[in-house]
Amino acid sequence: MLKRYLSSTSAKSLASALDEKVYQVTTYARPDDLCITRGQNAKLYDDINGREYIDFTAGIAVTALGHSNPEVADIMHKQALKLVHSSNLYYNKECLDLSSKLVEKTKKFGGQFDASKVFLCNSGTEANEAALKFAKKHGITINPKKQGIIAFQNSFHGRTMGALSVTSNPKYRTPFGDLIPHVTFLNLNDELTKFNDYISSNRDKLAGLIVEPVQGEGGIFPVPADKLIGLKKICSENEVAVIYDEIQCGLGRTGKLWAHAALPKEAHPDIFTSAKALGNGFPIAATIVNDKINNALQVGDHGTTYGGNPLGSAVSKYVVDVIADEKFLSQVEAKGEIFKTRLRELQKRFPEQIKDVRGRGLIIGAEFAEPPTEVIKRARELGLLVITAGKSTARFVPALTIEDSVIEEGLEIFAKAVEAVYK
Ligand SMILES: Cc1ncc(COP(=O)(O)O)c(C=O)c1O
């Protein structure tokens, strides 16, 4: 059936696909000469222009188990024939299985030691909306004025109004006027004493604090462990719920199941969020909470039509099973080392242009002295897709299953692109 669909539509659709870009809302600037038609693990293909690309983006850290993963496709197919959707009015088996798996694997792999309950939804921003509402509800239950949220400069938490309110970038915020009130942005580079002063003197007004353990969109900045340990201590002392946004850095990307699994349990969050890799491209997200947070919630406090649907949950069960595996996770670290070693070699050749190489596992940034726009463009012309993060960082977030040889090949292309721009 698929074959027939392609043969009957391919001539028209391939030729006219790019003409149809006039129907896209003006929210993205995309290259004019690229239209993806299919993918395979860490490669993408543009059959319209007859091009093959090495993909260091994985759909922005999403397709952790590779494009067109055959097991994922098989699960989708089988589950679609069984049950796609049944609403949250009734339990469904896949949702129950996924939720218990998330809690159990989180504990087993060193994540949130008191993980207890899961809310499933459909995107990262929604997972953070839930997290913010849960933290606020917890605060308001203690005292009606305890509603404020602390977020950090350089953060990115999503584009819906709540998540946008805790996202610092003015470019994303200012066009939209009033956002949710009582949000304060602090600077992660500040000393813990400064955080302590602010939080303890505002304890009656603060419900939660949200932070990415590795800032992703902001430019790949891992937050030092001592800072997270200190922040959690201060927040616990002041009954402020700590939310870790692991939407980009979680689920194996750092070489741990969760980025916070590298921290002692005193620094574990009250709430954490996951999305992106969770469905390997199928839209699904999760907000995981401890009992302290859940005890503040009542039936009707939050909801979603699609969240936790059997199709997404079936896919995620598989994704979590594959990633929650010591061998798989150690391979992520090893692959990350190839990236860092090669990028540092390149940095030695271009010390004026490449200022820093940083990151964990397969979330790596190479910070340039200026926005690496031309490098990214040249890399694309040479057959490599890379994205930026922050103002001047090239970001490497490939499939966690990327073959070592493809990493080497892609990094050779990247080096050629840097040479071409700065030779
Ligand atoms: C850390 C973080 N939080 C939240 C989001 C928003 O996720 P989504 O685009 O699925 O809404 C992103 C997306 O890039 C992210 O990186």
Side-chain angles (χ1 to χ4, degrees), residues 123-125 128 156-158 212 217 245 247-248 276:
S123 64
T125 199
N128 284 338
F156 184 87
H157 299 292
E212 298 156 82
E217 299 300 311
D245 176 342
I247 284 159
Q248 185 156 168
K276 290 191 182 274

Side-chain angles (χ1 to χ4, degrees), residues 262-281:
L263 299 170
K265 73 180 217 201
E266 300 77 59
H268 286 185
D270 298 298
I271 306 173
F272 74 98
T273 53
S274 170
K276 290 191 182 274
L278 192 58
N280 205 54

Side-chain angles (χ1 to χ4, degrees), residues 28 31-32 35 46 70 78 123 125 178 183-184 192-193 200 227 239 271 317 344 358 366 369-370 415 419:
Y28 280 94
D32 266 338
C35 183
D46 170 352
K78 289 195 175 120
S123 64
T125 199
D178 295 337
V183 174
T184 308
L192 285 170
T193 47
S200 54
K227 196 130 285 177
E239 295 189 291
I271 306 173
K317 270 164 59 180
R344 284 188 178 132
R358 57 176 177 263
E370 60 180 359
E419 281 160 17

Side-chain angles (χ1 to χ4, degrees), residues 293-420:
I293 300 298
N294 187 58
N295 289 342
L297 302 179
Q298 281 169 357
V299 171
D301 275 346
H302 199 43
T304 161
T305 296
Y306 295 124
N309 66 71
L311 185 56
S313 301
V315 170
S316 290
K317 270 164 59 180
Y318 174 74
V319 172
V320 174
D321 271 336
V322 173
I323 296 179
D325 176 271
E326 292 298 357
K327 197 161 156 234
F328 184 94
L329 293 168
S330 66
Q331 279 171 8
V332 173
E333 278 195 45
K335 288 175 194 297
E337 284 311 311
I338 305 179
F339 267 97
K340 278 198 237 172
T341 307
R342 292 277 176 267
L343 288 169
R344 284 188 178 132
E345 283 165 11
L346 190 63
Q347 185 188 12
K348 282 205 185 103
R349 290 176 51 210
F350 293 92
E352 293 304 311
Q353 286 80 21
I354 302 178
K355 292 294 174 199
D356 192 20
V357 173
R358 57 176 177 263
R360 296 195 184 134
L362 283 171
I363 178 163
I364 292 169
E367 187 175 329
F368 282 70
E370 60 180 359
T373 323
E374 282 306 311
V375 174
I376 303 281
K377 186 162 168 260
R378 187 54 76 99
R380 194 171 66 242
E381 287 161 3
L382 294 170
L384 171 72
L385 299 181
V386 188
I387 37 175
T388 54
K391 283 201 183 79
S392 53
T393 298
R395 169 173 29 167
F396 303 85
V397 284
L400 306 182
T401 52
I402 188 170
E403 301 86 348
D404 293 359
S405 59
V406 177
I407 299 178
E408 297 281 7
E409 209 186 322
L411 286 173
E412 268 174 39
I413 299 178
F414 189 72
K416 279 196 190 125
V418 172
E419 281 160 17

Side-chain angles (χ1 to χ4, degrees), residues 98-110 115 257:
L98 173 61
S99 304
S100 70
K101 196 179 283 294
L102 278 169
V103 169
E104 293 312 321
K105 299 274 184 191
T106 291
K107 290 179 177 168
K108 184 166 172 213
F109 282 78
L257 182 59

